[in-house]
């Protein structure tokens, strides 16, 4: 796997961005286009790598995120709260919960606050699964950004927050 995106032949280049902008007669900044294109490519590669990583533990990225979210919030949340915090639809949460419930990693029970609804709870087996994967998972996460200094990670977090703020403009109707 290539370490430097500029050396990756599949990675967009500044010259390509310039040609595309010129081809369409636009005034867009080619460097901004390049940054966005590389970010999207990196996100896709990271998403694929995450699926490979979590498959080692019999999970998907979505299933892991749901388990971790439950653990971070006292082991219990409503499906609508999970959907909101994970940024997915209720239908997606239902599918994730169905699979995790079949494996005994979560359970559903009636809500004590709203008798009409259910809550999803993290089972002891689910908590054990998170505890078992934590050492390898956090070691790999640290390795992912291991080439960055503390200062660079701080800067990256700031830049990433600003990019996330711009995502709505990219996805807007």
């Amino acid at each position: 796997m290539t370490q430097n995106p500029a050396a990756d032949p599949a990675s967009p280049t500044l010259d390509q961005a310039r040609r595309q902008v010129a081809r369409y007669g636009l005034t867009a900044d080619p460097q901004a286009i390049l940054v966005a294109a590389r970010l999207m490519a990196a996100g896709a590669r990271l998403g694929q790598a995450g699926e490979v990583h979590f498959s080692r533990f019999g999970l998907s990225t979505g299933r892991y995120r749901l388990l971790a979210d439950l653990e971070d919030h006292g082991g219990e949340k409503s499906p609508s709260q999970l959907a909101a915090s994970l940024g997915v639809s209720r239908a997606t949460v239902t599918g994730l919960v169905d699979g995790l419930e079949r494996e005994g990693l979560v359970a559903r029970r009636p809500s004590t606050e709203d008798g009409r609804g259910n809550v999803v709870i993290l089972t002891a087996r689910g908590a054990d699964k998170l505890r078992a994967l934590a050492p390898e998972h956090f070691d790999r996460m640290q390795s992912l950004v291991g080439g960055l200094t503390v200062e660079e990670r701080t800067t990256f977090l700031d830049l990433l927050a600003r990019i996330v703020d711009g995502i709505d403009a990219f996805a807007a109707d």
Side-chain angles (χ1 to χ4, degrees), residues 87-106:
V88 299
S89 69
R90 278 283 310 266
T92 298
V93 166
T94 298
L96 293 171
V97 170
D98 287 348
L100 291 167
E101 190 173 37
R102 278 192 297 275
E103 294 183 29
L105 303 176
V106 301

Side-chain angles (χ1 to χ4, degrees), residues 11-164:
S11 196
T13 67
L14 186 56
D15 284 340
Q16 287 173 314
R18 284 185 182 121
R19 284 194 304 271
Q20 289 174 346
V21 168
R23 180 180 310 126
Y24 300 118
L26 304 174
T27 60
D29 176 358
Q31 186 187 47
I33 302 305
L34 178 61
V35 169
R38 289 230 182 129
L39 183 63
M40 291 170 57
R45 287 184 65 189
L46 184 56
Q48 291 167 345
E51 292 303 329
V52 168
H53 167 66
F54 288 114
S55 72
R56 292 181 184 102
F57 305 101
L59 296 171
S60 65
T61 302
R63 293 172 82 194
Y64 169 78
R65 289 184 62 221
L66 190 145
L67 291 172
D69 191 52
L70 282 174
E71 185 179 57
D72 287 343
H73 293 91
E76 179 178 311
K77 265 188 160 179
S78 72
S80 60
Q81 290 171 324
L82 285 166
S85 62
L86 298 176
V88 299
S89 69
R90 278 283 310 266
T92 298
V93 166
T94 298
L96 293 171
V97 170
D98 287 348
L100 291 167
E101 190 173 37
R102 278 192 297 275
E103 294 183 29
L105 303 176
V106 301
R108 289 179 173 102
R109 70 165 175 74
S111 171
T112 55
E113 294 175 10
D114 176 6
R116 299 168 297 165
N118 286 323
V119 292
V120 180
I121 60 168
L122 181 66
T123 64
R125 186 173 179 178
D128 289 346
K129 178 84 138 178
L130 288 171
R131 198 169 9 271
L133 71 83
E136 182 177 344
H137 174 60
F138 286 100
D139 184 56
R140 287 177 184 263
M141 298 244 316
Q142 186 170 310
S143 294
L144 177 67
V145 297
L148 302 176
T149 66
V150 172
E151 294 80 19
E152 289 169 330
R153 291 192 308 256
T154 300
T155 300
F156 183 77
L157 288 170
D158 177 58
L159 296 171
L160 189 58
R162 289 193 261 162
I163 290 170
V164 168

